[in-house]
Amino acid sequence: MGAGHGHRLHFHGHSPVHRAPAHLKLVALLGFMLVVVATPSDWYAAYAVEALLLLGVVALSRVPVTYLAPRMVIEVPFAVFALLMPFLAHGPRTEVLGLTVSEPGLHAGLALLVKGTIGVLASLTLASTTEPQEVLRGLQRLRMPDLIVQIMGFMIRYLDVVTAELGRMMVAMRSRGCDPRSPRQWPTLARAMGALFIRSYERGERVHLAMLSRGYDGRLPAQDAA
C-alpha cells in the first residue's frame, strides 16, 4: 500500500509486543475478544482474570497509561448506556447505594461496561504497538481478501487528508462568524459535511482513474516489508 504511513494512535517503542508479528497480534486480539464476549455477565472472577491478563500485556508493551487513558474517551457513549441500564431494565429490583435498580439490568450494565472497557483497551494496545501498514500486511498474511485490505489501506492513507480538509472548513466557518458548536448553525454544518462527502467521493474517483491509467488490475504491486 505504498510507503509507511504513521498514525496518531501508534506509540513508537521496541517492546516485545511491538516486535511481535502483526498477524499473531490480530489473531490473539480476536481470540481474546471472543472469550471476553462469551463470558457470562455474572462471572466477575473471569472478568478480573481477563483484565489482569490485558493489563499484563499493556505493561509488557511499555505504552504509558497516560497515553492510553485519553484515547479511551471513545468508550464514553457505551459507558453512559451501561450506567442507565439498571434504571431502564425490567425484572426483580434491588437496592444499590440507596437507589432501587433492576437486578438483571445491573448485571447487564456492569458486563457491558467491563467488556467495553476491555475491548477498547485491547484495541488501543494493538493500535499503539502496531503500525497501520503492519496491520494491513498481517491481514494479508491471514488471507483476508485483497480488495478489503486495499480499501482499509486507502482509508488509513486518506483519513488524515479528509480530517485536515474538515479542519480547514471549520476555520473558514469560524472566520465568517459561524460557530459549528451552536445548534443554530447545525444546518450550515450539515451542508458542510455534505460538501465534504462529495469532495471525498470525487477524490476517490480521481484516485481510482489514476490507478487505472497506471495499469491497476485489482492488485497492488508488492512492497518491501522493510
Side-chain angles (χ1 to χ4, degrees):
M1 296 301 300
H5 188 275
H7 195 272
R8 66 191 66 183
L9 289 178
H10 183 260
F11 182 85
H12 181 72
H14 302 283
S15 71
V17 181
H18 283 82
R19 295 194 300 268
H23 65 286
L24 295 183
K25 287 188 278 189
L26 288 168
V27 171
L29 175 62
L30 177 60
F32 177 70
M33 288 313 304
L34 286 176
V35 172
V36 171
V37 171
T39 303
S41 60
D42 56 348
W43 285 24
Y44 298 114
Y47 290 139
V49 172
E50 292 161 355
L52 288 174
L53 179 62
L54 178 57
L55 291 176
V57 174
V58 173
L60 186 63
S61 71
R62 302 171 195 159
V63 178
V65 176
T66 53
Y67 183 86
L68 294 172
R71 290 160 175 79
M72 293 192 66
V73 69
I74 191 175
E75 189 194 1
V76 169
F78 300 97
V80 172
F81 180 72
L83 293 175
L84 290 176
M85 287 184 68
F87 301 97
L88 301 178
H90 300 286
R93 315 298 289 185
T94 187
E95 189 170 309
V96 177
L97 300 177
L99 299 174
T100 302
V101 297
S102 166
E103 188 171 351
L106 179 63
H107 289 300
L110 288 175
L112 177 61
L113 183 61
V114 172
K115 291 180 180 181
T117 302
I118 291 176
V120 171
L121 182 57
S123 300
L124 285 175
T125 303
L126 173 68
S128 61
T129 58
T130 314
E131 287 278 7
Q133 295 301 323
E134 291 297 325
V135 173
L136 296 177
R137 281 192 283 267
L139 292 173
Q140 287 177 327
R141 292 196 62 177
L142 294 174
R143 299 294 188 268
M144 178 168 283
D146 282 341
L147 183 59
I148 296 179
V149 176
Q150 291 175 30
I151 291 173
M152 294 176 65
F154 283 114
M155 179 188 70
I156 293 172
R157 179 176 296 276
Y158 285 99
L159 180 62
D160 290 337
V161 176
V162 175
T163 302
E165 188 168 0
L166 175 62
R168 291 192 295 270
M169 293 174 67
M170 295 297 102
V171 171
M173 292 174 65
R174 291 189 177 96
S175 68
R176 290 165 173 79
C178 175
D179 183 5
R181 295 172 298 181
S182 173
R184 292 184 177 181
Q185 303 298 335
W186 284 355
T188 303
L189 182 62
R191 289 192 291 270
M193 295 300 100
L196 180 63
F197 173 79
I198 296 298
R199 291 181 185 179
S200 301
Y201 183 85
E202 291 176 343
R203 179 182 288 111
E205 290 288 317
R206 292 194 298 271
V207 170
H208 184 243
L209 290 175
M211 292 168 61
L212 292 177
S213 68
R214 289 163 175 79
Y216 174 71
D217 60 354
R219 294 175 298 175
L220 292 176
Q223 62 173 333
D224 188 359

Coordinates of all heavy atoms in Angstrom, one line a residue, residues 46-115:
A46 N -14.0 -14.2 36.2 CA -13.4 -14.3 34.9 C -13.0 -12.9 34.3 O -12.0 -12.8 33.7 CB -14.4 -15.0 34.0
Y47 N -13.9 -11.9 34.6 CA -13.6 -10.6 34.1 C -12.3 -10.1 34.7 O -11.5 -9.4 34.1 CB -14.7 -9.6 34.4 CG -16.0 -9.8 33.6 CD1 -17.2 -9.8 34.3 CD2 -15.9 -10.1 32.3 CE1 -18.4 -10.0 33.5 CE2 -17.1 -10.3 31.6 CZ -18.3 -10.3 32.2 OH -19.4 -10.4 31.5
A48 N -12.1 -10.4 36.0 CA -10.9 -10.0 36.7 C -9.6 -10.6 36.1 O -8.6 -9.9 35.9 CB -11.0 -10.3 38.2
V49 N -9.7 -11.9 35.8 CA -8.6 -12.6 35.1 C -8.3 -12.0 33.8 O -7.2 -11.8 33.4 CB -8.9 -14.1 35.0 CG1 -7.8 -14.8 34.2 CG2 -9.0 -14.7 36.4
E50 N -9.4 -11.7 33.0 CA -9.2 -11.2 31.6 C -8.6 -9.8 31.7 O -7.7 -9.4 30.9 CB -10.5 -11.1 30.9 CG -11.1 -12.5 30.6 CD -12.6 -12.5 30.3 OE1 -13.2 -11.4 30.4 OE2 -13.1 -13.6 29.9
A51 N -9.0 -9.0 32.7 CA -8.5 -7.6 32.9 C -7.0 -7.7 33.3 O -6.2 -6.9 32.8 CB -9.3 -6.9 33.9
L52 N -6.7 -8.6 34.2 CA -5.3 -8.7 34.6 C -4.4 -9.2 33.5 O -3.3 -8.7 33.4 CB -5.2 -9.7 35.8 CG -5.8 -9.2 37.2 CD1 -5.7 -10.3 38.2 CD2 -5.0 -8.0 37.6
L53 N -4.9 -10.1 32.7 CA -4.1 -10.5 31.5 C -3.9 -9.4 30.6 O -2.7 -9.2 30.1 CB -4.9 -11.7 30.8 CG -4.2 -12.3 29.6 CD1 -2.9 -12.9 29.9 CD2 -5.1 -13.3 28.9
L54 N -4.9 -8.6 30.3 CA -4.7 -7.5 29.4 C -3.8 -6.4 30.0 O -2.9 -5.9 29.3 CB -6.1 -6.8 29.1 CG -6.1 -5.6 28.2 CD1 -5.4 -5.9 26.9 CD2 -7.5 -5.1 28.0
L55 N -3.9 -6.1 31.3 CA -3.0 -5.2 31.9 C -1.6 -5.7 31.9 O -0.6 -4.9 31.8 CB -3.4 -4.9 33.3 CG -4.8 -4.1 33.5 CD1 -5.1 -4.0 35.0 CD2 -4.7 -2.7 32.9
G56 N -1.4 -7.0 31.9 CA 0.0 -7.5 31.8 C 0.5 -7.3 30.4 O 1.7 -6.9 30.3
V57 N -0.3 -7.4 29.4 CA 0.2 -7.1 28.0 C 0.5 -5.6 27.9 O 1.5 -5.3 27.3 CB -0.9 -7.6 27.0 CG1 -0.5 -7.2 25.6 CG2 -1.1 -9.1 27.1
V58 N -0.3 -4.8 28.5 CA -0.1 -3.4 28.4 C 1.2 -3.0 29.1 O 2.0 -2.2 28.6 CB -1.3 -2.6 29.0 CG1 -0.9 -1.1 29.1 CG2 -2.5 -2.8 28.2
A59 N 1.5 -3.6 30.2 CA 2.7 -3.4 30.9 C 3.9 -3.9 30.1 O 5.0 -3.2 30.1 CB 2.7 -4.1 32.3
L60 N 3.8 -5.0 29.5 CA 4.8 -5.6 28.7 C 5.1 -4.7 27.4 O 6.2 -4.6 27.0 CB 4.5 -7.0 28.2 CG 5.5 -7.8 27.5 CD1 6.7 -8.0 28.3 CD2 4.9 -9.1 27.0
S61 N 4.1 -4.0 26.9 CA 4.2 -3.2 25.8 C 4.9 -1.9 26.1 O 5.4 -1.2 25.2 CB 2.9 -2.9 25.2 OG 2.1 -2.0 26.0
R62 N 5.0 -1.5 27.4 CA 5.6 -0.3 27.8 C 5.0 1.0 27.3 O 5.6 2.0 27.1 CB 7.1 -0.3 27.5 CG 7.9 -1.4 28.1 CD 9.3 -1.5 27.6 NE 9.9 -2.8 27.9 CZ 10.9 -3.3 27.2 NH1 11.4 -2.6 26.2 NH2 11.4 -4.5 27.6
V63 N 3.7 0.9 26.9 CA 2.9 2.1 26.5 C 2.4 2.7 27.7 O 1.7 2.1 28.5 CB 1.8 1.7 25.5 CG1 1.0 2.9 25.1 CG2 2.3 1.0 24.3
P64 N 2.7 4.0 28.0 CA 2.3 4.7 29.2 C 0.8 4.7 29.3 O 0.0 4.9 28.3 CB 2.8 6.1 29.1 CG 3.9 6.0 28.0 CD 3.5 4.9 27.1
V65 N 0.3 4.5 30.5 CA -1.1 4.6 30.8 C -1.7 6.0 30.4 O -2.8 6.2 30.0 CB -1.4 4.3 32.3 CG1 -2.9 4.5 32.6 CG2 -1.0 2.9 32.6
T66 N -0.8 7.0 30.6 CA -1.2 8.4 30.3 C -1.4 8.6 28.8 O -2.0 9.5 28.4 CB -0.1 9.4 30.8 OG1 1.2 9.0 30.3 CG2 -0.1 9.4 32.3
Y67 N -0.8 7.7 28.0 CA -1.0 7.7 26.6 C -2.3 7.1 26.2 O -3.0 7.5 25.3 CB 0.2 7.0 25.9 CG 0.1 7.1 24.4 CD1 0.7 8.2 23.7 CD2 -0.4 6.0 23.6 CE1 0.6 8.2 22.3 CE2 -0.4 6.1 22.2 CZ 0.1 7.2 21.6 OH 0.0 7.2 20.2
L68 N -2.7 6.0 26.9 CA -3.9 5.2 26.5 C -5.1 5.8 27.1 O -6.2 5.8 26.4 CB -3.7 3.8 27.0 CG -2.6 2.9 26.4 CD1 -2.5 1.6 27.1 CD2 -2.9 2.7 24.9
A69 N -5.0 6.4 28.3 CA -6.2 6.8 29.0 C -7.0 7.9 28.2 O -8.3 7.8 28.1 CB -5.9 7.3 30.4
P70 N -6.4 8.9 27.7 CA -7.2 10.0 27.0 C -7.9 9.4 25.8 O -8.9 9.9 25.3 CB -6.1 11.0 26.6 CG -5.0 10.8 27.5 CD -5.0 9.3 27.8
R71 N -7.3 8.4 25.2 CA -7.8 7.8 23.9 C -9.0 6.9 24.2 O -9.7 6.4 23.3 CB -6.7 7.1 23.1 CG -5.8 8.1 22.5 CD -4.4 7.5 22.2 NE -3.6 8.5 21.5 CZ -2.9 9.4 22.1 NH1 -2.9 9.5 23.5 NH2 -2.1 10.3 21.5
M72 N -9.2 6.5 25.5 CA -10.3 5.7 25.8 C -11.6 6.5 26.0 O -12.7 5.9 26.3 CB -10.1 4.9 27.1 CG -8.9 3.9 27.0 SD -8.8 2.8 28.4 CE -10.3 1.9 28.3
V73 N -11.6 7.8 25.7 CA -12.8 8.6 25.7 C -13.8 8.1 24.7 O -15.0 8.4 24.9 CB -12.4 10.1 25.5 CG1 -12.0 10.3 24.1 CG2 -13.6 11.0 25.9
I74 N -13.4 7.4 23.7 CA -14.3 6.8 22.7 C -15.4 5.9 23.4 O -16.5 5.7 22.8 CB -13.6 6.1 21.6 CG1 -14.5 5.8 20.4 CG2 -12.9 4.8 22.2 CD1 -13.7 5.2 19.3
E75 N -15.1 5.4 24.6 CA -16.0 4.5 25.2 C -17.1 5.2 26.0 O -18.1 4.6 26.4 CB -15.2 3.6 26.2 CG -16.0 2.5 26.8 CD -15.3 1.9 28.0 OE1 -14.2 2.3 28.4 OE2 -15.9 0.9 28.6
V76 N -17.0 6.5 26.1 CA -18.0 7.2 26.9 C -19.5 7.0 26.6 O -20.3 6.7 27.5 CB -17.7 8.8 26.9 CG1 -18.8 9.6 27.5 CG2 -16.4 9.1 27.6
P77 N -19.9 7.0 25.3 CA -21.3 6.7 25.0 C -21.7 5.3 25.5 O -22.8 5.2 26.0 CB -21.3 6.8 23.5 CG -20.2 7.6 23.1 CD -19.1 7.3 24.1
F78 N -20.8 4.3 25.4 CA -21.2 3.0 25.8 C -21.3 2.9 27.4 O -22.1 2.3 27.9 CB -20.2 1.9 25.4 CG -20.0 1.9 23.9 CD1 -19.1 2.6 23.2 CD2 -20.9 1.1 23.1 CE1 -19.0 2.5 21.8 CE2 -20.8 1.0 21.7 CZ -19.9 1.7 21.1
A79 N -20.4 3.7 28.0 CA -20.4 3.7 29.5 C -21.7 4.4 30.0 O -22.3 3.9 30.9 CB -19.2 4.5 30.0
V80 N -22.1 5.5 29.3 CA -23.4 6.1 29.7 C -24.5 5.2 29.6 O -25.4 5.1 30.4 CB -23.6 7.4 28.9 CG1 -25.0 8.0 29.1 CG2 -22.5 8.4 29.2
F81 N -24.6 4.4 28.4 CA -25.7 3.5 28.2 C -25.6 2.4 29.3 O -26.7 2.0 29.8 CB -25.6 2.9 26.8 CG -26.6 1.9 26.5 CD1 -27.9 2.3 26.3 CD2 -26.3 0.5 26.4 CE1 -28.9 1.4 26.0 CE2 -27.3 -0.4 26.2 CZ -28.6 0.0 25.9
A82 N -24.4 1.9 29.6 CA -24.3 0.9 30.6 C -24.8 1.3 32.0 O -25.4 0.6 32.7 CB -22.9 0.4 30.7
L83 N -24.5 2.6 32.3 CA -24.9 3.1 33.6 C -26.4 3.4 33.7 O -27.0 3.4 34.8 CB -24.2 4.5 33.9 CG -22.7 4.3 34.1 CD1 -22.0 5.7 34.2 CD2 -22.4 3.5 35.3
L84 N -27.1 3.5 32.5 CA -28.5 3.7 32.5 C -29.3 2.4 32.5 O -30.5 2.4 32.9 CB -28.9 4.5 31.3 CG -28.5 6.0 31.2 CD1 -28.9 6.6 29.9 CD2 -29.1 6.8 32.4
M85 N -28.7 1.3 32.1 CA -29.4 0.0 32.0 C -30.0 -0.4 33.4 O -31.1 -0.9 33.3 CB -28.4 -1.0 31.5 CG -28.1 -0.9 30.0 SD -27.1 -2.3 29.4 CE -28.2 -3.6 29.6
P86 N -29.3 -0.3 34.5 CA -30.0 -0.7 35.8 C -31.3 0.1 36.1 O -32.2 -0.5 36.8 CB -28.9 -0.4 36.8 CG -27.6 -0.4 36.1 CD -28.0 0.1 34.7
F87 N -31.4 1.3 35.5 CA -32.6 2.1 35.8 C -33.7 1.9 34.8 O -34.9 2.1 35.0 CB -32.2 3.6 35.9 CG -31.2 3.9 36.9 CD1 -29.9 4.0 36.5 CD2 -31.6 4.1 38.2 CE1 -28.9 4.3 37.5 CE2 -30.6 4.4 39.2 CZ -29.3 4.5 38.8
L88 N -33.3 1.4 33.6 CA -34.3 1.2 32.5 C -34.8 -0.2 32.3 O -35.9 -0.4 31.8 CB -33.7 1.7 31.2 CG -33.2 3.2 31.1 CD1 -32.5 3.5 29.8 CD2 -34.3 4.1 31.4
A89 N -34.0 -1.2 32.8 CA -34.4 -2.6 32.6 C -35.5 -3.0 33.5 O -35.7 -2.4 34.6 CB -33.2 -3.5 32.7
H90 N -36.2 -4.1 33.1 CA -37.2 -4.6 34.0 C -36.7 -5.8 34.8 O -35.5 -6.2 34.6 CB -38.4 -5.1 33.1 CG -39.0 -3.9 32.3 ND1 -39.8 -3.0 32.9 CD2 -38.9 -3.6 31.0 CE1 -40.2 -2.1 31.9 NE2 -39.7 -2.5 30.8
G91 N -37.5 -6.4 35.6 CA -37.2 -7.5 36.4 C -37.1 -7.3 37.9 O -37.5 -6.2 38.3
P92 N -36.6 -8.2 38.6 CA -36.5 -8.0 40.1 C -35.7 -6.8 40.4 O -34.7 -6.5 39.8 CB -35.8 -9.3 40.6 CG -36.1 -10.3 39.5 CD -36.1 -9.5 38.2
R93 N -36.1 -6.1 41.5 CA -35.4 -4.9 41.9 C -34.5 -5.2 43.1 O -34.7 -6.1 43.9 CB -36.4 -3.8 42.3 CG -37.6 -3.7 41.4 CD -37.2 -3.3 40.0 NE -36.7 -1.9 39.9 CZ -36.4 -1.3 38.8 NH1 -36.4 -1.9 37.6 NH2 -36.0 0.0 38.8
T94 N -33.4 -4.4 43.2 CA -32.5 -4.5 44.3 C -32.1 -3.1 44.6 O -32.3 -2.1 43.8 CB -31.3 -5.4 44.0 OG1 -30.5 -5.5 45.2 CG2 -30.5 -4.8 42.9
E95 N -31.4 -2.9 45.8 CA -31.0 -1.6 46.2 C -29.5 -1.5 46.2 O -28.8 -2.3 46.8 CB -31.6 -1.3 47.6 CG -31.4 0.2 48.0 CD -32.1 0.5 49.3 OE1 -33.4 0.2 49.4 OE2 -31.5 1.1 50.2
V96 N -29.0 -0.4 45.6 CA -27.6 -0.2 45.5 C -27.3 1.3 45.8 O -27.8 2.2 45.1 CB -27.0 -0.5 44.1 CG1 -25.5 -0.2 44.0 CG2 -27.2 -2.0 43.7
L97 N -26.6 1.5 46.9 CA -26.2 2.9 47.3 C -27.5 3.7 47.5 O -27.5 4.9 47.2 CB -25.3 3.5 46.3 CG -23.9 2.9 46.1 CD1 -23.2 3.6 45.0 CD2 -23.1 2.8 47.4
G98 N -28.5 3.1 48.0 CA -29.7 3.8 48.3 C -30.7 4.0 47.1 O -31.7 4.6 47.2
L99 N -30.3 3.4 46.0 CA -31.1 3.5 44.7 C -31.7 2.2 44.4 O -31.0 1.2 44.5 CB -30.2 4.0 43.6 CG -29.6 5.4 43.7 CD1 -28.7 5.7 42.6 CD2 -30.7 6.5 43.8
T100 N -32.9 2.2 44.0 CA -33.6 0.9 43.6 C -33.4 0.7 42.1 O -33.7 1.6 41.3 CB -35.1 1.0 43.9 OG1 -35.3 1.2 45.3 CG2 -35.8 -0.3 43.5
V101 N -32.7 -0.4 41.7 CA -32.4 -0.6 40.3 C -32.8 -2.1 40.0 O -33.1 -2.9 40.9 CB -30.9 -0.5 40.1 CG1 -30.4 1.0 40.3 CG2 -30.1 -1.4 40.9
S102 N -32.8 -2.3 38.7 CA -33.2 -3.7 38.2 C -32.0 -4.6 38.4 O -30.8 -4.2 37.9 CB -33.6 -3.6 36.7 OG -33.6 -4.9 36.1
E103 N -32.2 -5.7 39.0 CA -31.0 -6.6 39.2 C -30.5 -7.2 37.9 O -29.3 -7.2 37.7 CB -31.5 -7.8 40.1 CG -30.3 -8.6 40.5 CD -30.7 -9.6 41.6 OE1 -31.8 -9.5 42.1 OE2 -29.9 -10.5 41.9
P104 N -31.3 -7.6 36.9 CA -30.8 -8.1 35.6 C -30.1 -6.9 34.9 O -29.1 -7.1 34.2 CB -32.0 -8.6 34.9 CG -33.0 -8.9 35.9 CD -32.8 -7.9 37.0
G105 N -30.7 -5.7 35.0 CA -30.1 -4.6 34.3 C -28.8 -4.2 34.9 O -27.9 -3.8 34.2
L106 N -28.6 -4.4 36.3 CA -27.4 -4.1 36.9 C -26.3 -5.0 36.4 O -25.2 -4.6 36.1 CB -27.5 -4.2 38.4 CG -26.3 -4.0 39.3 CD1 -25.8 -2.6 39.1 CD2 -26.6 -4.3 40.8
H107 N -26.6 -6.3 36.4 CA -25.6 -7.3 35.9 C -25.3 -7.0 34.4 O -24.1 -7.1 34.0 CB -26.1 -8.7 36.0 CG -26.2 -9.2 37.4 ND1 -25.1 -9.2 38.3 CD2 -27.2 -9.6 38.2 CE1 -25.4 -9.7 39.5 NE2 -26.7 -9.9 39.5
A108 N -26.3 -6.7 33.6 CA -26.1 -6.5 32.2 C -25.2 -5.2 32.0 O -24.3 -5.2 31.1 CB -27.4 -6.4 31.4
G109 N -25.6 -4.2 32.7 CA -24.8 -2.9 32.6 C -23.4 -3.1 33.0 O -22.5 -2.6 32.3
L110 N -23.1 -3.8 34.1 CA -21.7 -4.0 34.6 C -21.0 -4.8 33.5 O -19.8 -4.5 33.2 CB -21.7 -4.7 35.9 CG -22.1 -3.8 37.1 CD1 -22.2 -4.7 38.4 CD2 -21.1 -2.7 37.3
A111 N -21.6 -5.8 33.0 CA -21.0 -6.7 32.0 C -20.7 -5.8 30.7 O -19.6 -6.0 30.2 CB -21.9 -7.8 31.6
L112 N -21.6 -5.0 30.3 CA -21.3 -4.2 29.1 C -20.2 -3.2 29.4 O -19.3 -3.0 28.5 CB -22.6 -3.4 28.8 CG -22.5 -2.4 27.6 CD1 -22.1 -3.1 26.3 CD2 -23.8 -1.7 27.4
L113 N -20.2 -2.6 30.6 CA -19.1 -1.7 30.9 C -17.7 -2.3 30.9 O -16.8 -1.8 30.4 CB -19.4 -1.0 32.2 CG -18.4 0.1 32.7 CD1 -18.4 1.2 31.7 CD2 -18.8 0.6 34.1
V114 N -17.7 -3.5 31.6 CA -16.4 -4.2 31.7 C -16.0 -4.7 30.3 O -14.8 -4.5 29.9 CB -16.5 -5.4 32.7 CG1 -15.3 -6.2 32.6 CG2 -16.8 -4.9 34.1
K115 N -16.9 -5.3 29.6 CA -16.5 -5.9 28.2 C -16.1 -4.7 27.3 O -15.1 -4.9 26.5 CB -17.7 -6.6 27.6 CG -17.9 -8.0 28.4 CD -19.1 -8.7 27.7 CE -19.4 -10.0 28.5 NZ -20.5 -10.8 27.8

